[in-house]
Amino acid sequence: MSNYLAQEFKLLWRSNSFKILTLILALLALFAIGRGIILSNHIARNFAKIEQLQIKERENIAKTYAAAGDAGSAAYFGFELIKQTPNPFNFITQGQSDLGPQATRIRSLALIPQIYESEIINPESLVKGRFDYSFLAVFLLPLFIIAVLFDLRASETEAGREVFLIANAKSFSRILIMRAILRMGILLCAILLPLFMGALINSAPMAAIFKIAFYIVLYSSFWVIICGIFIIFGANSRLSALGQLAIWSVLLIISPIMVRNWVNFKIPANQGFALSLEHREYLHGAWERDRQAEVDRFLKSYPQFSKTPKLGKTFEWKWYLAFHNNADEEMASSAKEYRMAIENRYKLTKKSASFLPPIALQLAIEETTNNGLLNHLEKQDYIAKKHKELREAYYSHLFDGASFNLTEYEAKKRILGD
Amino acid sequence: MPKVILIALAELKFILRNKAALIAALLFVLMNIFSANVAWNNYNQAQNEIKSYQNFANEDFANQPNRHPHRMVHYGHFAFRSQNPLAAFDRGVDQFVGNMIYLEGHRQNGANFSDALQSVNLLRIGDFTPAFMLQLFLPLLLVFIAYSCVSREREGATLPIILSQNIKPAQIYWGKLLALFAVALVLALPSIVFIAIITKSQISTALILILAIFAYCLIWCGLIVLVSLNSKTNNMALSYLLGLWVIGVIMLPRLGSEISGFLVPNFSRVQMDLETHAELRKMGDSHNPNDPYFNNFKASVLKKYNVKTVEELPVNYKGLLAVEGEKMTSQLFDKYNQKMFNAHETQNGIYSALGLIDPFISFQKLSNSMSGTDYKSYQSFIEQAEKYRYNMVQHLNGLQANALSYKDDTNKLLENRISNENWLKYPKFEYVAQDFKERFSRALQSLILLLLWSIGIIWLGLSQSKKLGGANV
């Protein structure tokens, strides 16, 4: 048996086109992993730079406001940076997270305008998409599989060797299966080895890497089956190539676009505009409303500060922070609705993925690497949580009269999440 | 009848006999019509939404009560991004850029709420528009229909028969090309009609787009005939052409954008904010009574009005300070924004240089530019919104300087409201799409590349076709 395999391997190795295809796949995989590692390092370096700049920024707040004991101004001007732990899987794909903010700074004012802030991204490069590992696996790997399998039988038939092979071997189909396995084995090595190399370099958790490798093997089997169907029906090489390419275009180009259009049509998620407009209206409307009533509304949510003295005649920061929080509360249900719409879009897309292996693989890789759309929403939740911690720390100074000074400020979170 | 036409007719007859090709072509045309329908509906829906929200924002602004002008600076305004109707033909960067900018004092916000961040972006291959069908699928379909146009004659040994009828190789070449080009134009027809309908009075835009479609079709037709006549077998022709399609349409664009990203790295908004603030601190701080920059400013104002103290000024010094502060921050923001635009423009320039080897890239660039959905069109929206923001804020600061007295404005017990007439009659934000000249100037490079490619591929095909007459056929 092993003798036979070795013989088949020698035969395969004589095929220049197979060698070239394998080499190209391996090189593309190395490129995809390499660009991923460079990108991860770039993200980490950028964040380190941001941290340095933020420390300087904080020094300024400390000098100007904290030293003067002005908690209100420190809350107003003091943006805090939210700590990020680098994602060890960024080298595989950035998924959807390349659209969102690379880093986030927040202050104690209303969260809603802050949380939807966009990142500076070159939209032209986004349109083209990334040449990352997940693109290679989802998009290009099937083409390589088709290229090495489409004429598995037809080439023998067309060369007139099929009769000869059937006469000589125990079973022609067994030969074909062996050959398919051999070719797939080599192709998978070419694409999976760089993945493991990248994982070692980036010291990414291996369990997840094995999971991704398993998904890729599973996805490859799907394409082998597609090729197999053409082989079983004895399609000639031309029909196989064109038919399989047609299936590839439908599954990888047409269907994702159709699914996206359909999902977006089914579930509108345009609440963002209305949310922003209404939030601003309520927020600035506070200047027209009774000031004490505004604080009283705030105290309903924060009864622990109900002993705070009534407002005087002039501007007070506690009123300012109170109505900012009121505006967020006022819009909380709309914001939740917006969030739910996005989440539902994701769920519906995932449901459709059960029929469409490429979408399933894409989503599975994004989920495993924590880079999906849901992770973007989770990030927003985390920001909201940190925002709450930050402003509540200032509330105790402004409503409870807890002392605020330089040491107080310096001791508080330098970078949120530390 | 000329021999070229005879060859072309024979080829067309052959194509029409190929049932699979006919079905694929029919599907393509139906998909093309469907995509036009979907894209047009999406465009109108988005456009109506944008318009109605812009109206809401305008009303909100106009209906603000009597207020202190600085309150209005913080209240701000919203600008929504409207589009050229051609966005329905080619969405370009549309879904990845924000649709709304909050315009307020002291800050330059980015455009938020892009479609991409609120959708699941599957595989990021493109939008379902007629342009997408033309750019990606038309070439594939042409390959499918005609990969064997010459190799078939060679494999079936009909080539010597044709040549023996006193038909020159060049005539075979022109005949095949003509037939294929005719097929391509029929397939592209729904898109061309769609362009003609939606461009309405923008005839020159439509003409450039249609010219580019012709060139793009010609390039692919030329490429198919060229490869087919150089291939020994039909299968070889097919695999070369499919390989070229995968490389040119799927792989190179992504590789190109990766390469441009390596050469010109991106930076994040937070980094830009922090750098701007650090630089701003160095320039001066209007809150600091001993700040040298603002002390100089104060001295120059006092000198200008020939008074000794700010209280004696005929205008409100706080308003002047606001005008000066906004001028300072905006200049700095503009500087950093320009840095960002330049970085992106360099990236995009590197990418479009790849159009030299990949006509797909040139065609896509041209189609984006002419449709007003390229980066520069987006940049123009950002710049117009910023200009509006700056003028609005400075107008309000000016009101603070002139309509309020320094004495009142520094009295913390006074609210100092001015009449809402001032916001009621302030002009509305209106985004003006770039005109033909601007868009064309960016499309020109791609157009030239496409035309050069067309000529080059035909010249190459013609010179290669001489081989057909060789002894070894």
Side-chain angles (χ1 to χ4, degrees):
Chain A
M1 186 67 196
S2 62
N3 203 5
Y4 167 70
L5 253 182
Q7 198 185 328
E8 279 291 334
F9 184 78
K10 258 185 227 157
L11 208 64
L12 191 56
W13 205 240
R14 247 179 269 157
S15 153
N16 272 333
S17 63
F18 180 78
K19 259 189 289 190
I20 291 169
L21 281 171
T22 311
L23 188 71
I24 292 174
L25 181 63
L27 286 176
L28 289 178
L30 285 172
F31 173 81
I33 293 291
R35 62 70 76 184
I37 291 173
I38 292 174
L39 186 87
S40 307
N41 292 342
H42 179 72
I43 293 173
R45 259 202 317 276
N46 264 1
F47 195 77
K49 209 186 276 169
I50 288 170
E51 274 183 314
Q52 288 312 309
L53 287 164
Q54 171 68 13
I55 288 170
K56 287 246 169 68
E57 180 77 14
R58 262 191 134 257
E59 279 167 10
N60 178 56
I61 301 282
K63 199 173 66 195
T64 329
Y65 307 109
D70 184 357
S73 297
Y76 183 87
F77 291 104
F79 282 89
E80 299 286 350
L81 181 67
I82 293 188
K83 177 88 180 167
Q84 292 179 163
T85 31
N87 183 342
F89 301 114
N90 270 345
F91 78 98
I92 298 172
T93 178
Q94 264 192 297
Q96 305 253 338
S97 45
D98 62 347
L99 300 170
Q102 297 293 307
T104 309
R105 286 194 327 143
I106 47 160
R107 57 174 168 172
S108 305
L109 306 194
L111 178 67
I112 283 179
Q114 301 185 61
I115 205 157
Y116 301 121
E117 254 175 42
S118 57
E119 184 52 279
I120 301 170
I121 324 169
N122 182 353
E124 277 201 15
S125 72
L126 290 180
V127 174
K128 279 129 220 164
R130 310 286 184 200
F131 204 107
D132 58 14
Y133 190 76
S134 102
F135 166 73
L136 183 70
V138 177
F139 233 92
L140 298 183
L141 178 63
L143 288 175
F144 282 89
I145 295 175
I146 292 170
V148 301
L149 293 185
F150 81 98
D151 65 346
L152 197 62
R153 172 175 174 184
S155 61
E156 300 295 351
T157 317
E158 281 155 26
R161 284 193 301 264
E162 182 169 346
V163 193
F164 172 76
L165 279 167
I166 290 174
N168 275 277
K170 285 176 202 144
S171 151
F172 180 52
S173 55
R174 238 180 85 187
I175 295 179
L176 291 184
I177 290 170
M178 288 306 294
R179 284 186 180 173
I181 290 174
L182 191 66
R183 287 176 187 212
M184 284 310 300
I186 295 171
L187 269 195
L188 283 172
C189 281
I191 192 169
L192 290 178
L193 284 179
L195 173 68
F196 285 105
M197 276 162 56
L200 288 177
I201 294 172
N202 263 28
S203 44
M206 271 301 168
I209 300 294
F210 275 108
K211 215 160 135 191
I212 291 169
F214 172 71
Y215 291 145
I216 291 174
V217 173
L218 215 60
Y219 179 64
S220 307
S221 342
F222 166 78
W223 286 101
V224 173
I225 290 168
I226 296 281
C227 297
I229 291 170
F230 278 83
I231 290 172
I232 290 167
F233 284 101
N236 65 36
S237 53
R238 218 168 310 155
L239 184 65
S240 298
L242 290 170
Q244 286 162 26
L245 196 75
I247 292 174
W248 178 86
S249 348
V250 169
L251 283 181
L252 280 132
I253 302 178
I254 303 278
S255 65
I257 293 178
M258 291 299 179
V259 167
R260 185 183 189 276
N261 263 314
W262 178 68
V263 167
N264 285 5
F265 171 74
K266 275 260 166 196
I267 307 171
N270 50 1
Q271 293 90 335
F273 297 155
L275 187 65
S276 307
L277 258 67
E278 286 167 27
H279 184 269
R280 176 184 69 155
E281 222 44 49
Y282 191 87
L283 189 76
H284 292 268
W287 292 84
E288 311 305 319
R289 293 190 294 267
D290 180 55
R291 297 195 307 144
Q292 187 57 47
E294 212 61 31
V295 173
D296 291 343
R297 176 182 173 169
F298 169 85
L299 292 176
K300 271 190 198 132
S301 309
Y302 285 95
Q304 64 266 43
F305 302 125
S306 46
K307 283 189 193 123
T308 193
K310 295 267 179 229
L311 291 173
K313 283 216 155 86
T314 52
F315 175 87
E316 280 181 52
W317 279 114
K318 67 178 179 189
W319 163 72
Y320 194 85
L321 285 194
F323 79 71
H324 268 260
N325 192 54
N326 291 348
D328 276 351
E329 279 183 5
E330 185 72 15
M331 300 311 297
S333 64
S334 307
K336 204 171 164 192
E337 214 175 280
Y338 180 43
R339 195 206 132 101
M340 278 306 285
I342 297 175
E343 201 174 320
N344 287 336
R345 279 185 169 183
Y346 184 81
K347 281 184 188 152
L348 193 59
T349 309
K350 209 175 163 185
K351 221 185 251 172
S352 71
S354 33
F355 306 101
L356 300 161
I359 298 181
L361 179 64
Q362 173 84 9
L363 294 181
I365 293 179
E366 280 181 5
E367 272 182 24
T368 315
T369 58
N370 306 323
N371 272 322
L373 190 63
L374 289 188
N375 298 100
H376 172 68
L377 296 177
E378 279 165 19
K379 238 183 239 172
Q380 289 187 340
D381 293 344
Y382 181 72
I383 293 170
K385 190 178 147 231
K386 289 288 150 192
H387 177 257
K388 189 164 184 270
E389 286 174 20
L390 177 68
R391 62 188 163 82
E392 283 178 358
Y394 280 111
Y395 293 160
S396 64
H397 297 299
L398 294 168
F399 290 90
D400 253 0
S403 73
F404 183 76
N405 52 37
L406 198 55
T407 34
E408 190 78 32
Y409 179 76
E410 306 254 282
K412 284 263 157 57
K413 301 164 181 82
R414 290 190 157 277
I415 285 148
L416 296 177
D418 267 1
Chain B
M1 209 186 288
K3 281 164 186 163
V4 172
I5 304 287
L6 280 176
I7 301 265
L9 284 177
E11 181 66 24
L12 279 174
K13 241 185 232 161
F14 176 84
I15 291 171
L16 288 174
R17 272 207 308 270
N18 182 349
K19 284 214 182 68
L22 278 184
I23 292 170
L26 192 67
L27 275 177
F28 174 84
V29 170
L30 287 177
M31 287 279 286
N32 211 347
I33 295 170
F34 182 50
S35 74
N37 186 31
V38 168
W40 184 243
N41 286 339
N42 283 350
Y43 162 75
N44 278 315
Q45 201 194 333
Q47 206 55 12
N48 287 337
E49 206 175 39
I50 290 289
K51 259 195 204 130
S52 69
Y53 278 105
Q54 187 67 66
N55 284 338
F56 289 146
N58 292 345
E59 280 169 26
D60 282 348
F61 188 82
N63 293 336
Q64 286 306 300
N66 297 349
R67 272 196 166 161
H68 189 289
H70 194 66
R71 287 267 55 75
M72 288 304 283
V73 167
H74 279 277
Y75 177 80
H77 212 328
F78 286 101
F80 289 86
R81 193 169 56 90
S82 60
Q83 290 254 312
N84 187 313
L86 272 160
F89 169 68
D90 190 340
R91 268 191 93 187
V93 301
D94 199 26
Q95 62 155 310
F96 290 99
V97 298
N99 294 305
M100 184 198 92
I101 304 190
Y102 182 35
L103 312 170
E104 56 179 329
H106 318 311
R107 277 168 73 84
Q108 277 191 8
N109 295 306
N112 295 340
F113 301 110
S114 68
D115 282 358
L117 253 180
Q118 46 204 29
S119 327
V120 189
N121 300 285
L122 296 159
L123 313 176
R124 279 194 214 163
I125 188 72
D127 272 309
F128 191 47
T129 59
F132 171 79
M133 295 299 293
L134 282 182
Q135 291 159 5
L136 248 87
F137 274 112
L138 185 62
L140 188 61
L141 187 61
L142 288 176
V143 167
F144 178 46
I145 290 174
Y147 67 95
S148 70
C149 61
V150 185
S151 58
R152 176 183 79 233
E153 314 280 8
R154 178 181 274 143
E155 210 174 272
T158 43
L159 198 53
I161 303 173
I162 300 173
L163 289 167
S164 69
Q165 290 168 337
N166 202 17
I167 293 174
K168 290 189 195 86
Q171 287 170 326
I172 298 179
Y173 176 80
W174 282 114
K176 300 284 182 185
L177 186 68
L178 193 64
L180 196 46
F181 189 57
V183 171
L185 288 189
V186 169
L187 292 172
L189 196 64
S191 302
I192 293 174
V193 172
F194 184 62
I195 291 172
I197 295 171
I198 60 173
T199 43
K200 286 186 193 126
S201 56
Q202 306 181 49
I203 295 166
S204 24
T205 302
L207 286 178
I208 298 293
L209 272 173
I210 292 168
L211 178 64
I213 292 173
F214 276 41
Y216 188 62
C217 287
L218 195 58
I219 292 166
W220 274 100
C221 295
L223 193 68
I224 290 166
V225 181
L226 176 70
V227 170
S228 191
L229 72 82
N230 271 306
S231 302
K232 286 205 185 76
T233 65
N234 292 336
N235 282 357
M236 271 169 77
L238 181 61
S239 39
Y240 287 141
L241 285 167
L242 291 181
L244 284 174
W245 181 80
V246 170
I247 293 170
V249 172
I250 306 282
M251 279 169 56
L252 259 182
R254 289 202 187 218
L255 282 174
S257 98
E258 290 290 341
I259 291 165
S260 60
F262 281 141
L263 296 179
V264 186
N266 290 311
F267 45 95
S268 68
R269 183 173 298 285
V270 164
Q271 186 182 340
M272 196 161 103
D273 275 357
L274 282 164
E275 283 178 7
T276 322
H277 270 105
E279 202 171 324
L280 199 59
R281 272 202 303 279
K282 274 185 223 148
M283 284 167 72
D285 176 9
S286 62
H287 293 282
N288 179 359
N290 299 318
D291 185 81
Y293 180 89
F294 283 96
N295 276 346
N296 278 342
F297 173 69
K298 192 167 151 186
S300 72
V301 168
L302 295 179
K303 197 177 158 201
K304 186 180 157 200
Y305 287 95
N306 202 17
V307 288
K308 292 221 166 54
T309 61
V310 289
E311 284 80 6
E312 292 169 54
L313 285 170
V315 288
N316 174 6
Y317 180 66
K318 275 185 86 176
L320 296 184
L321 212 54
V323 171
E324 183 64 17
E326 190 65 41
K327 195 176 107 197
M328 220 170 88
T329 50
S330 296
Q331 274 170 359
L332 201 58
F333 286 136
D334 286 344
K335 187 181 115 184
Y336 275 89
N337 263 342
Q338 208 51 54
K339 206 171 121 186
M340 169 189 87
F341 289 141
N342 290 345
H344 290 168
E345 226 15 70
T346 321
Q347 286 178 344
N348 299 340
I350 295 168
Y351 178 77
S352 46
L354 276 178
L356 216 58
I357 53 168
D358 190 351
F360 170 80
I361 288 176
S362 297
F363 183 49
Q364 203 175 39
K365 273 258 165 192
L366 179 135
S367 154
N368 286 347
S369 304
M370 291 316 292
S371 306
T373 52
D374 61 346
Y375 184 83
K376 281 279 184 184
S377 298
Y378 167 66
Q379 183 181 335
S380 135
F381 166 69
I382 300 281
E383 285 168 347
Q384 287 179 38
E386 167 52 21
K387 197 172 157 202
Y388 182 84
R389 183 199 75 84
Y390 184 73
N391 291 337
M392 177 190 78
V393 170
Q394 293 300 50
H395 172 73
L396 293 165
N397 287 337
L399 285 173
Q400 188 183 0
N402 296 311
L404 291 174
S405 74
Y406 185 71
K407 194 175 153 234
D408 288 348
D409 210 12
T410 44
N411 182 348
K412 287 195 173 160
L413 288 167
L414 285 181
E415 283 190 327
N416 292 310
R417 293 173 184 253
I418 62 169
S419 161
N420 63 352
E421 283 286 303
N422 288 298
W423 1 117
L424 207 57
K425 55 185 191 209
Y426 192 73
K428 296 176 175 66
F429 172 73
E430 221 146 329
Y431 168 64
V432 185
Q434 292 188 306
D435 61 12
F436 170 78
K437 233 174 110 188
E438 278 170 295
R439 283 177 288 135
F440 180 66
S441 67
R442 297 200 297 277
L444 190 62
Q445 181 198 334
S446 305
L447 187 65
I448 291 171
L449 282 177
L450 284 175
L451 295 177
L452 285 179
W453 258 89
S454 323
I455 296 165
I457 208 114
I458 290 174
W459 174 79
L460 203 63
L462 263 182
S463 62
Q464 293 284 310
S465 72
K466 283 180 196 135
K467 276 194 207 160
L468 292 177
N472 57 346
V473 282

